[in-house]
Amino acid sequence: MILPIYIYGQPVLRKESEDITADYPGLEELIPNMFETLTASDGVGLAAPQIGKNIRLAVIDLDVLGEEMPEYKDFRHVYINPHIVEIDEESPTETMEEGCLSLPGIHENVTRHTRIRVQYMDKDFQQHDEWVDGYLARVMQHEFDHLDAKMFIDHLSPLRKQLIKSKLKALTQGRYRCSYRTKPVRK
């Protein structure tokens, strides 16, 4: 089932998410629904707050990049209770344009580290602790930020934030267009 994406201004996007256990109600249906929602909205990552749930759950699907980046062919992963536990401060930073399904029409350059250490559980609740680099590290940082009540716009300079202020206000007022199902802020 395709779920609506919560748009900027929804309180759930600014509330820190909580860890879950294997008996979380409806988890077996929620994960495939998140992948279906992600595919329908042409995204590469989706965090649970973006569908209105403050739980530490994210899905990432980089298969669409498989032709340009063969290492991501068939890459579809579930991250349960993920945490970034270390940033390789020696790794270079990289600035790239980012967008977000919860911020339709807004794209800004964001600087992030290129190598991080993450801990998470997979869909079978098996624990993982690994170093991740490259584009996947960027996507993880973006999605896991959602779980910590942050959005990519929080990484912008005060000047850039000021320049997009009217766009953000339009989102909170329901004035935007996108091709996927959304849940705007209710007045």
Side-chain angles (χ1 to χ4, degrees), residues 24-40:
Y24 181 81
L27 185 61
E28 287 186 17
E29 298 84 39
L30 181 59
I31 292 170
N33 288 346
M34 286 180 70
F35 274 117
E36 188 177 350
T37 301
L38 181 60
T39 300

Side-chain angles (χ1 to χ4, degrees), residues 108-125:
E108 292 289 329
N109 286 328
V110 177
T111 301
R112 296 192 189 267
H113 280 275
T114 57
R115 189 166 187 260
I116 59 173
R117 183 174 151 225
V118 295
Q119 293 177 344
Y120 65 92
M121 287 183 263
D122 61 26
K123 63 181 174 39
D124 300 317
F125 278 79

Side-chain angles (χ1 to χ4, degrees), residues 70-187:
E71 65 271 28
Y72 298 130
K73 182 82 176 121
D74 300 322
F75 187 98
R76 283 173 57 97
H77 287 277
V78 175
Y79 298 91
I80 298 171
N81 303 334
H83 294 273
I84 297 171
V85 294
E86 192 175 348
I87 292 175
D88 182 355
E89 298 291 343
E90 301 297 315
S91 71
T93 59
E94 185 175 65
T95 301
M96 287 181 69
E97 185 176 88
E98 289 188 20
C100 180
L101 297 174
S102 294
L103 294 156
I106 297 178
H107 296 85
E108 292 289 329
N109 286 328
V110 177
T111 301
R112 296 192 189 267
H113 280 275
T114 57
R115 189 166 187 260
I116 59 173
R117 183 174 151 225
V118 295
Q119 293 177 344
Y120 65 92
M121 287 183 263
D122 61 26
K123 63 181 174 39
D124 300 317
F125 278 79
Q126 296 299 307
Q127 187 70 39
H128 295 264
D129 185 330
E130 56 197 35
W131 283 95
V132 179
D133 56 18
Y135 190 71
L136 177 58
R138 171 173 294 276
V139 175
M140 283 181 163
Q141 288 171 81
H142 178 111
E143 297 309 326
F144 299 172
D145 270 358
H146 281 297
L147 306 177
D148 294 326
K150 296 179 194 157
M151 301 180 85
F152 83 86
I153 56 173
D154 299 333
H155 296 282
L156 303 178
S157 70
L159 175 61
R160 286 305 310 159
K161 286 181 191 174
Q162 189 63 33
L163 292 171
I164 65 168
K165 192 175 183 178
S166 63
K167 290 180 180 180
L168 294 173
K169 184 176 181 182
L171 290 176
T172 65
Q173 295 173 342
R175 294 185 290 119
Y176 61 89
R177 289 186 184 172
C178 60
S179 60
Y180 47 88
R181 193 171 160 215
T182 64
K183 185 165 179 78
V185 178
R186 294 281 180 235
K187 298 290 178 240

